[in-house]
Amino acid sequence: MFFRKKAILMIHGFVGGCYDFDNFQNELQTYKKFDVFTFTLPAHNQFIVNNVKHKEWLDESINQIEFLINHGYKEIYLIGHSMGGV
């Protein structure tokens, strides 16, 4: 049987974080058997998002997708909430 690794990359919104996806991520991993990944956008681990350019958020999102490709994922689905969907 031919198996293709499938991943979902979730990107949070401007005032959110990875925790926004906890329940949804668990459902997708447990019942749909996807490998689900999320990450914290640059500067979002600080109390005030300051001195960060939107290009840094784009670059980090691209880095995350490239990481998945380099680890053998052939199908990658993106789920973005609010700004993360942009």
Side-chain angles (χ1 to χ4, degrees):
M1 177 183 225
F2 181 70
F3 177 72
R4 295 181 72 155
K5 291 174 71 172
K6 293 189 268 186
I8 295 175
L9 178 62
M10 298 176 141
I11 306 173
H12 64 80
F14 185 74
V15 295
C18 297
Y19 51 82
D20 290 335
F21 296 117
D22 285 348
N23 291 335
F24 190 34
Q25 181 176 358
N26 186 49
E27 293 285 323
L28 290 169
Q29 289 174 323
T30 303
Y31 300 109
K32 299 298 182 182
K33 307 300 182 199
F34 280 96
D35 293 335
V36 183
F37 300 87
T38 189
F39 63 98
T40 302
L41 290 165
H44 279 78
N45 57 348
Q46 301 168 5
F47 183 69
I48 298 173
V49 177
N50 203 2
N51 296 323
V52 64
K53 306 286 185 217
H54 77 279
K55 183 170 179 350
E56 294 175 63
W57 295 326
L58 294 172
D59 289 345
E60 183 57 29
S61 298
I62 291 168
N63 289 341
Q64 295 293 324
I65 293 168
E66 288 174 349
F67 172 85
L68 295 175
I69 291 169
N70 292 335
H71 281 82
Y73 288 95
K74 303 296 183 195
E75 294 182 38
I76 301 169
Y77 301 92
L78 298 176
I79 297 176
H81 175 257
S82 190
M83 182 192 75
V86 175

